[in-house]
Amino acid sequence: MLVLLAVPAFVFLVTLGTWQVQRLAWKETLLDRIDTQMSAQPVALEEVVNDLDTGNLTEEDIEYLPVSLSGTFDNSGEQFFFATHRGVSGYYVYTPLELAGELQGGAVFVNRGFVPFDFKDQATRPESLVEGEQQIIGLARKRLYEKPSWIVPNNDLEANIYYWKDLSNMAAQAGYKMDGQILPFFVDAGLPSEFYPMGEWPVPGVTLINLPNNHLQYVLTWYALAGTLVVVLFVFVRRRMS
């Protein structure tokens, strides 16, 4: 009976270990790609959009890609994502940037950076409401199509507080259309390798690039359990036969 139970258990553990080997290779490839992108010169947003349209880039490819863009902020369309920065609670300010140049007529939501709770109201930070064409360097970030986990609260559209980056609702709340007007990704303003002082709101460069890679640990765990099971089964069978 024990043997009958041990065989499928062994297969299950080896399968889990093999799956983690595959995940390890995927994560290492992803981290290498991000490192390469982060050290590259920013790509013009027009090129990114063209490569997405032609299929040369996917939404996964643009994650953390440094980009350069220009346009005018629509400060009336600010949307607020609940966040913490350097131990302070507040919001990331997502503002539509109405694009200039080849992309004129379109817009992209730019995460301009962090403000504490007390600076959500624009009246408390009039200096942040910049006008005229702005030149921006930042990181492209892919959108989410659904809430990432049941643990994450639902977005409070009435209070203009987001707990997950729902681009469709951000666009609708700001008065923009998704089809052909708002680009299907975000841009985080500023590069995280630079230091931006607190007190000048919003604080840019807030992108967190923290992708844990524990897959090797999981590989060793599952394969070790499979090996332990083999040893236990061997000892059991040997004792039964002696």
Side-chain angles (χ1 to χ4, degrees), residues 8-219:
F10 174 79
V11 172
F12 177 70
L13 292 172
V14 170
T15 300
L16 287 176
T18 303
W19 176 61
Q20 287 299 328
V21 169
Q22 296 168 348
R23 294 286 292 173
L24 175 62
W26 168 80
K27 182 59 71 65
E28 288 179 342
T29 300
L30 174 63
L31 292 173
D32 287 343
R33 178 174 62 79
I34 291 173
D35 286 342
T36 300
Q37 289 183 170
M38 292 292 293
S39 60
Q41 290 297 313
V43 179
L45 192 67
E46 293 86 351
E47 293 183 32
V48 176
V49 171
N50 181 66
D51 284 343
L52 281 172
D53 290 342
T54 58
N56 292 329
L57 285 177
T58 68
E59 291 187 16
E60 291 294 331
D61 293 331
I62 69 169
E63 181 77 329
Y64 301 114
L65 178 68
V67 294
S68 61
L69 60 157
S70 61
T72 304
F73 282 116
D74 175 9
N75 294 306
S76 66
E78 287 184 345
Q79 308 294 303
F80 297 90
F81 179 83
F82 179 81
T84 59
H85 183 61
R86 300 179 195 167
V88 180
S89 296
Y91 306 99
Y92 292 160
V93 182
Y94 281 81
T95 309
L97 182 77
E98 297 183 343
L99 297 165
E102 295 178 18
L103 297 176
Q104 188 169 5
V108 63
F109 266 99
V110 174
N111 174 7
R112 295 190 59 200
F114 176 80
V115 297
F117 285 135
D118 292 342
F119 289 87
K120 183 173 186 258
D121 188 341
Q122 291 184 344
T124 62
R125 47 180 174 85
E127 72 285 352
S128 72
L129 306 180
V130 293
E131 299 180 353
E133 186 169 316
Q134 307 295 315
Q135 305 292 324
I136 295 171
I137 292 178
L139 298 177
R141 301 299 310 278
K142 66 181 182 180
R143 64 179 293 191
L144 297 177
Y145 289 91
E146 60 184 2
K147 188 165 67 169
S149 168
W150 64 269
I151 299 175
V152 177
N154 292 323
N155 293 328
D156 188 344
L157 301 184
E158 185 174 348
N160 191 2
I161 298 174
Y162 292 81
Y163 299 97
W164 63 279
K165 297 188 297 183
D166 183 354
L167 179 58
S168 295
N169 271 317
M170 284 186 177
Q173 293 292 101
Y176 290 84
K177 298 177 181 179
M178 287 298 302
D179 295 336
Q181 188 174 25
I182 286 287
L183 298 186
F185 55 88
F186 299 94
V187 173
D188 286 357
L191 300 178
S193 58
E194 301 178 36
F195 180 81
Y196 302 89
M198 296 281 277
E200 299 179 7
W201 315 120
V203 180
V206 295
T207 309
L208 296 177
I209 304 176
N210 182 19
L211 302 177
N213 187 8
N214 299 318
H215 297 293
L216 179 58
Q217 176 183 335
Y218 299 148
V219 168

